[in-house]
Amino acid sequence: MRRARAGMRRLAGLFGRKRRERELSAELESHLALHIEENLRAGMTAEEARRQALIKLGGMEQAKELYREQRGIAWLETLWLDLRYAARTLRRSAGFTSVAILTLALGIGATTAIFSVVYGALLRPLPYANASRLVWISGHFRAMPFLHNLAGADYFSIQHSVDAFSSLGAMTNSGVALRIGNESRWLPAARFGRGVFKTLGAQPLLGRKFLSREYQQGGDQEVLLSYSLWQQRFAGEASVLGRTVLVNLKPYTVVGVMPPRFDFPSHDTQLWMPLVLPRAATSDYAPDLDLHAVARLKPGASLAHAQAELNALGERRLKTSFGKVTLRGESLRTNLVGSYRLPLVILLAAVGLLLLISCAGVANLLLARLSVRERETALRAALGATRGRVFRQLLTESLLLGVVGGAAGVVLAVFGAGALHSLLPADLAHLAPASLNLPVLLFALGVSIGSAVLFGVAPAIFSLRTNPGEALQGAQRGAVGASSAARHRARSGLVATEVALATILAVGGLLLFRSLLRLENVSPGFRTRNVLMFRAFLPPEKYKTPVEQREFYNTLLGRLRALPGVRSAAFDAILPFTGWGQAIFDIKGRDYPKGQQPRADMFQVSPGYFQTMGMPLLRGRTFRASDAATSQPVVVIDQKLAMAYWPNQDPIGQEIYDGEWTTIVGVVGHVRFLDLATDPGPELYLPLDQARAHVWGGGFVLHTSVKPESLDLAIRSLVAQLDPDVPLLDLMTLEGRISDTLSDRRLQTLLLGLFAALALVLTAVGIAGVISYTVSQRTREMGLRMALGAEPSEVFRLVLRGMLGVVGLGLLAGLAGALALTRFLESVLFGVGRWDPASFAGTAAVVLAVAFLASYLPARRAAKVDPAVALRQE
Amino acid sequence: MGEKTDVWQGTLALMVLKTLEAMGPQHGYGIARRIEQTSGGRLLVNYGTLYPALLKLEQEGAIAAEWGVSENNRKAKFYRLTRAGRKQLAKEAQDWERATAILARFLAPEGGGS
């Protein structure tokens, strides 16, 4: 009660400050007057009476300060005063303030921009109810590293026997041709089995989900649209419900539209249809079915618990045609973010180092200013400010700097995040929107305050060590006191820290840059210039048999070859750098146990393929038009396959079994078809006309004599003429495609390089600052040395030598740190070791060069000192 | 700062309250002199520390202040005990006596008790 009343009074004490101040002065004045009168009566002189009364009071201002602390809510009032004072001080020294704010803005801005992506990818809640309980289930095979499918039978046994899930649904992922008006378009689509909507807790924005009967054979005639498709193709009109659209030339009724953020299973899925999964589903794996499952953990069940059950299930599963299957459950987030997690964490750590450097830079500036402000703080102390009060004042100033720098940083981050967003891979960009949302802004505020404490505390502590008496006597310039020497050591330490951190960033940047260079210079084994490629999607309803499909491809191929500007054209079922397919085969005369048979990546190509791609024929022949369905089956193998199975033999004429006995007729060079970084296993080529499997999205490669992009329209109209129901997709140049596969890496290298460059600039500013200060402090000494006969170049060397020690120390620490930290980069490096000597040596050279340049100008000023002027300076 | 001051301020507050009870309304200087005299000059303290203590008691409602004229015709701020202040004085004096009695027993020569 008493405390509450006192609290209210104190709150009231914040107001009417002027009146209260007057009253306080009046009360203390009357106190003094009473005391003086009594002293006078006791026989003191007037002066002595006043002096004794003041001593007894403990000083007028000191008494007032004590009183004020009790009066209002001291810290709030103090904060306000300090803030106003800090703002005035900062405005007065505009040079210092703008350098400090710019430094902070760079650090905080870069950190915020990177964090906005990290937040979007790793922390932002997914748009599903209780999304952390969702599990993505896939099948994995040791022999087929790229295949992650489930078989229908797996799905049913998970549904039947895994106890950890409260609900479960299966889905497939594939593209479809959507006919709108006269145009046929290929769109990424998914089929959802019963239970997927329930598991996700998802509802359409408009219309309804699928009904139970629609998951049954013959009932799947309904389609849900994505929000963006609805907006772009159907003008966002509600009347779209009930409309009939042609999906793969079959009529489907639009029953609903999903919300904007619904992006399951992929960021670009545009259509959803019911998945009919009969009980008697296949027990083997169908790569083109692409079946997966999503499940929700029961309350109380953990992912580990579910994984244990999945493991047990995988153990019981009989051998499949791809060997043993491992069923894997991972959180939906892990599945979505997957391989981006490590690069993101690396970038966040790198930008954190940059932030530390900018904090060290600002701390350095503050320390330099401290010597200028020594007298001011001493005066404040003499006027009754307690040490805590001075400390708080300095910290408030840092906070203000931090918050203003942070605000400027957020402005930079808005632009940075926008630019960054446009460079992100599409799926990551979809997860992390470009706008800075509330959590990201809160993060920026937290980082600003944290930075302020980080860079503000050390200088504030140093200010406490100042001896007011000494400082007020106007400590002669050039006389270096103990506290000043300690400050100089602290500043050197900060510069060394900056150098060390910048060195670590530079090593990382150089390692990535050299990896990228190495990678860009890798030859994939085929021609990359002037190659255009695309796929044609044949709606399965219209092109039911492999024969019909091949007929279309051959007709199209004939017309493509006749197109002006095309040197040669060929068919390739799977385009380079877009996918893969594998085959398991036997070799005549050899016996391999089941599961250990030879494997190869398999391609179906037309005659002219090797010529179009510029792949060398090493032995035998390539395919001919006469390699038809009715003639002797033939294959071409690559050098790697030849070396692996016929190391001392001529493979030509050997026979392998892949459904039927086939003769090897040629050996071509090995190629990297997945991406430049991966050296794939052996490769096997079948002629298009002899392949028996369905190919609905066959690819074409064209070697052109003109700029490949210029053929875009001609090809589109050619295909539309041939069959308007066949949409094109993935039309692009091979160079463009290769560049796309490097874009993640390029972005990462660009960002790390940018951070390293910024770090070096900030460090250079720090070095130049310290040197300038040293020079100005030691002008007199320099003058004396020169007056005593030292050459200007000696003075120059003296200044540089001092800095060299500091930089060298920082460089060594940084290189040592990099030796340890590059461990985390190892998995993203290519062609260079993590202790790559060239990167380390290059970094050392760059850091030393930057340090020399940053020292050179201020040091030269020292050498130009006129001894007469310097000595007269006092 | 911190606890030391609190302890000191606590006892100082009690001295202020007792002084006001004994002397009636009094200004800050008078209270300070009285405390010094009563302590026989053994409490050497800056008078300045008295004013925050007075303000605290005023904020708590134990004392009230108004401007008046001193015995030698000077304008001064006079403090007087309120009813709440009287109650607080009684309670705190009792607490203090109890505390000192307990401490006295601790500090008494050994073997004195049971």
Side-chain angles (χ1 to χ4, degrees):
Chain A
M1 180 61 203
R2 198 153 33 113
R3 289 185 70 125
R5 179 157 41 180
M8 291 301 291
R9 294 273 180 100
R10 294 183 78 160
L11 200 62
L14 285 174
F15 305 101
R17 208 165 63 87
K18 279 202 175 139
R19 187 178 57 79
R20 281 159 205 274
E21 276 293 305
R22 269 203 312 273
E23 273 196 28
L24 172 59
S25 289
E27 184 171 17
L28 290 177
E29 282 300 335
S30 85
H31 171 105
L32 270 183
L34 286 164
H35 199 168
I36 290 170
E37 265 171 38
E38 197 170 327
N39 285 350
L40 284 174
R41 276 201 299 277
M44 292 185 196
T45 65
E47 198 186 333
E48 184 63 12
R50 183 169 178 81
R51 205 175 89 85
Q52 288 299 332
L54 268 173
I55 289 176
K56 196 67 195 152
L57 184 65
M60 192 68 170
E61 288 306 315
Q62 284 85 341
K64 280 187 182 176
E65 192 60 31
L66 276 176
Y67 188 86
R68 285 185 198 118
E69 270 176 30
Q70 177 63 36
R71 184 174 57 201
I73 297 174
W75 65 266
L76 203 62
E77 200 171 330
T78 311
L79 181 67
W80 175 238
L81 283 176
D82 284 354
L83 271 179
R84 285 191 356 187
Y85 183 75
R88 270 204 310 274
T89 315
L90 293 179
R91 253 203 321 265
R92 250 198 332 258
S93 39
F96 157 81
T97 307
S98 41
V99 172
I101 286 180
L102 191 67
T103 304
L104 280 178
L106 281 177
I108 296 174
T111 309
T112 305
I114 294 294
F115 180 76
S116 75
V117 177
V118 170
Y119 172 78
L122 304 181
L123 302 170
R124 184 174 181 233
L126 295 171
Y128 314 110
N130 221 340
S132 61
R133 307 290 294 167
L134 292 175
V135 181
W136 175 266
I137 305 167
S138 50
H140 294 254
F141 309 85
R142 190 187 300 183
M144 305 284 272
F146 305 106
L147 185 71
H148 302 315
N149 296 342
L150 293 177
D154 291 328
Y155 171 73
F156 286 114
S157 53
I158 293 169
Q159 192 183 38
H160 185 250
S161 60
V162 174
D163 207 33
F165 299 137
S166 61
S167 69
L168 180 75
M171 87 211 82
T172 65
N173 214 352
S174 66
V176 294
L178 178 69
R179 181 79 183 262
I180 302 168
N182 284 331
E183 198 195 357
S184 195
R185 275 196 158 237
W186 183 88
L187 294 173
R191 286 181 180 274
F192 278 2
R194 207 191 297 269
V196 174
F197 281 110
K198 183 182 169 231
T199 303
L200 295 176
Q203 292 292 338
L205 181 71
L206 204 69
R208 63 167 175 85
K209 297 182 287 191
F210 304 131
L211 304 175
S212 194
R213 63 176 160 80
E214 290 164 0
Y215 293 110
Q216 283 158 21
Q217 200 82 51
D220 60 324
Q221 306 284 306
E222 289 70 30
V223 64
L224 284 160
L225 307 180
S226 78
Y227 185 83
S228 61
L229 183 65
W230 178 52
Q231 290 291 321
Q232 285 160 21
R233 294 275 145 182
F234 299 95
E237 284 167 11
S239 64
V240 73
L241 296 184
R243 262 179 72 170
T244 299
V245 293
L246 286 177
V247 176
N248 287 349
L249 300 176
K250 269 170 67 183
Y252 278 73
T253 309
V254 176
V255 294
V257 175
M258 295 307 288
R261 269 194 78 193
F262 186 80
D263 55 1
F264 197 80
S266 166
H267 70 280
D268 55 1
T269 309
Q270 301 290 335
L271 293 166
W272 293 271
M273 289 156 290
L275 171 66
V276 177
L277 197 63
R279 276 258 151 219
T282 161
S283 71
D284 207 350
Y285 296 88
D288 44 341
L289 189 61
D290 202 18
L291 187 75
H292 295 270
V294 63
R296 183 174 285 279
L297 289 170
K298 252 184 202 161
S302 70
L303 186 58
H305 174 198
Q307 184 60 61
E309 286 189 283
L310 288 173
N311 285 344
L313 210 58
E315 287 298 318
R316 286 207 301 274
R317 187 90 159 82
L318 293 173
K319 281 271 173 74
T320 68
S321 56
F322 296 131
K324 196 130 192 71
V325 64
T326 311
L327 300 177
R328 188 183 295 169
E330 58 191 355
S331 78
L332 190 56
R333 165 94 62 190
T334 306
N335 177 256
L336 285 175
V337 179
S339 58
Y340 293 128
R341 184 182 296 268
L342 180 68
L344 282 177
V345 170
I346 289 173
L347 281 178
L348 194 62
V351 85
L353 291 183
L354 182 64
L355 182 66
L356 280 181
I357 292 176
S358 59
C359 285
V362 175
N364 209 337
L365 287 171
L366 283 174
L367 276 176
R369 230 162 78 90
L370 211 58
S371 41
V372 182
R373 297 184 65 184
E374 221 161 36
R375 290 179 63 122
E376 176 203 329
T377 34
L379 197 65
R380 287 163 56 86
L383 283 177
T386 58
R387 285 152 76 89
R389 194 72 186 64
V390 172
F391 185 78
R392 214 156 44 186
Q393 161 65 34
L394 289 176
L395 216 53
T396 307
E397 215 170 289
S398 300
L399 271 183
L400 188 65
L401 261 185
V403 170
V404 174
V410 166
V411 174
L412 283 185
V414 170
F415 294 107
L420 186 57
H421 194 259
S422 65
L423 294 171
L424 288 180
D427 44 350
L428 195 55
H430 186 81
L431 275 175
S435 62
L436 299 185
N437 40 27
L438 186 65
V440 173
L441 290 178
L442 285 178
F443 171 83
L445 182 68
V447 164
S448 307
I449 292 175
S451 308
V453 172
L454 205 58
F455 67 67
V457 165
I461 287 174
F462 270 104
S463 80
L464 294 184
R465 292 206 197 151
T466 310
N467 179 345
E470 242 175 59
L472 277 180
Q473 279 158 24
Q476 318 92 303
R477 275 170 67 88
V480 182
S483 65
S484 159
R487 268 205 309 268
H488 185 70
R489 273 198 303 279
R491 296 197 61 188
S492 300
L494 283 173
V495 167
T497 309
E498 285 186 82
V499 170
L501 295 176
T503 301
I504 293 174
L505 279 179
V507 168
L510 260 183
L511 281 174
L512 283 193
F513 182 65
R514 280 173 49 79
S515 295
L516 186 63
L517 281 187
R518 286 274 164 93
L519 201 54
E520 280 178 336
N521 283 324
V522 166
S523 163
F526 46 69
R527 169 184 292 132
T528 56
R529 298 202 54 177
N530 285 337
V531 176
L532 189 67
M533 50 192 214
F534 69 91
R535 287 164 68 199
F537 180 77
L538 307 185
E541 288 297 305
K542 192 164 178 179
Y543 297 88
K544 290 195 173 74
T545 66
V547 174
E548 286 170 292
Q549 294 153 18
R550 272 154 193 75
E551 209 175 278
F552 176 87
Y553 293 139
N554 279 318
T555 315
L556 179 56
L557 201 52
R559 302 225 183 149
L560 286 171
R561 283 177 176 144
L563 214 57
V566 174
R567 277 198 185 139
S568 66
F571 175 90
D572 180 4
I574 298 164
L575 291 175
F577 284 63
T578 63
W580 55 275
Q582 268 196 326
I584 296 172
F585 57 91
D586 278 310
I587 298 172
K588 191 166 215 173
R590 301 187 193 176
D591 212 8
Y592 295 98
K594 207 165 164 59
Q596 286 173 35
Q597 294 125 308
R599 286 190 184 80
D601 291 300
M602 182 192 68
F603 306 87
Q604 298 169 36
V605 300
S606 68
Y609 178 76
F610 302 111
Q611 178 204 342
T612 304
M613 296 302 286
M615 285 164 61
L617 175 70
L618 304 174
R619 297 186 80 88
R621 65 169 177 92
T622 55
F623 297 130
R624 296 194 278 251
S626 56
D627 296 321
T630 49
S631 55
Q632 161 66 33
V634 293
V635 288
V636 167
I637 62 172
D638 80 337
Q639 200 178 8
K640 196 164 185 174
L641 189 64
M643 296 292 282
Y645 295 102
W646 295 277
N648 305 310
Q649 262 176 289
D650 187 357
I652 304 293
Q654 301 282 346
E655 283 179 67
I656 61 169
Y657 187 84
D658 170 33
E660 61 188 318
W661 286 107
T662 311
T663 310
I664 297 171
V665 294
V667 177
V668 293
H670 180 65
V671 297
R672 297 186 174 217
F673 66 92
L674 278 170
D675 55 49
L676 288 178
T678 313
D679 187 14
E683 291 148 355
L684 183 67
Y685 298 85
L686 309 178
L688 169 65
D689 289 342
Q690 289 182 348
R692 295 165 303 274
H694 290 285
V695 179
W696 281 300
F700 293 84
V701 287
L702 288 78
H703 179 208
T704 64
S705 54
V706 294
K707 265 187 74 170
E709 298 90 330
S710 64
L711 293 175
D712 185 311
L713 270 180
I715 290 170
R716 284 181 194 279
S717 64
L718 198 71
V719 176
Q721 265 173 28
L722 202 58
D723 186 346
D725 290 325
V726 172
L728 286 193
L729 60 141
D730 296 349
L731 180 75
M732 58 198 162
T733 65
L734 184 50
E735 266 181 325
R737 177 61 204 156
I738 292 176
S739 173
D740 282 352
T741 63
L742 293 177
S743 64
D744 300 4
R745 197 179 271 274
R746 206 173 279 134
L747 178 62
Q748 201 183 0
T749 308
L750 175 79
L751 288 174
L752 206 57
L754 184 71
F755 297 159
L758 285 177
L760 286 172
V761 169
L762 292 180
T763 306
V765 169
I767 291 173
V770 169
I771 293 252
S772 300
Y773 181 75
T774 314
V775 167
S776 71
Q777 289 282 297
R778 293 171 66 180
T779 305
R780 194 157 177 266
E781 178 202 334
M782 299 294 168
L784 199 61
R785 282 176 188 270
M786 276 154 81
L788 291 176
E791 287 294 313
S793 63
E794 280 176 51
V795 172
F796 184 71
R797 269 204 297 275
L798 188 73
V799 173
L800 278 190
R801 203 187 305 142
M803 184 42 73
L804 190 70
V806 173
V807 171
L809 202 67
L811 182 62
L812 285 181
L815 290 176
L819 281 177
L821 286 175
T822 48
R823 184 153 44 100
F824 300 103
L825 277 183
E826 201 154 27
S827 63
V828 293
L829 295 182
F830 178 86
V832 295
R834 70 179 180 100
W835 289 351
D836 176 45
S839 298
F840 278 77
T843 299
V846 168
V847 169
L848 285 177
V850 167
F852 179 76
L853 278 179
S855 314
Y856 179 75
L857 293 176
R860 213 178 47 173
R861 218 175 51 203
K864 280 188 182 159
V865 165
D866 178 350
V869 175
L871 289 174
R872 234 183 286 125
Q873 206 179 32
E874 287 312 305
Chain B
M1 299 228 152
E3 278 186 355
K4 263 186 190 162
T5 323
D6 285 348
V7 171
W8 166 238
Q9 287 220 335
T11 47
L12 184 62
L14 186 54
M15 291 183 215
V16 169
L17 292 176
K18 187 70 198 168
T19 304
L20 288 178
E21 194 196 32
M23 299 179 67
Q26 188 55 267
H27 48 69
Y29 178 67
I31 298 170
R33 289 292 291 161
R34 167 78 181 189
I35 289 176
E36 207 172 41
Q37 281 162 7
T38 312
S39 71
R42 265 172 291 181
L43 265 179
L44 279 176
V45 68
N46 281 341
Y47 290 164
T49 55
L50 178 68
Y51 287 91
L54 284 171
L55 179 60
K56 184 159 187 273
L57 285 170
E58 195 185 345
Q59 283 167 345
E60 288 168 0
I63 58 175
E66 56 200 44
W67 287 88
V69 179
S70 77
E71 54 278 14
N72 37 13
N73 252 341
R74 285 214 170 265
K75 204 171 161 249
K77 201 175 182 182
F78 279 79
Y79 295 89
R80 64 177 170 78
L81 217 50
T82 62
R83 276 180 54 191
R86 259 175 230 288
K87 262 193 246 166
Q88 192 179 329
L89 173 61
K91 186 177 174 297
E92 283 189 7
Q94 204 180 22
D95 288 350
W96 182 255
E97 272 160 20
R98 213 172 278 155
T100 44
I102 292 168
L103 257 184
R105 289 172 78 168
F106 267 100
L107 299 175
E110 260 183 80
S114 51

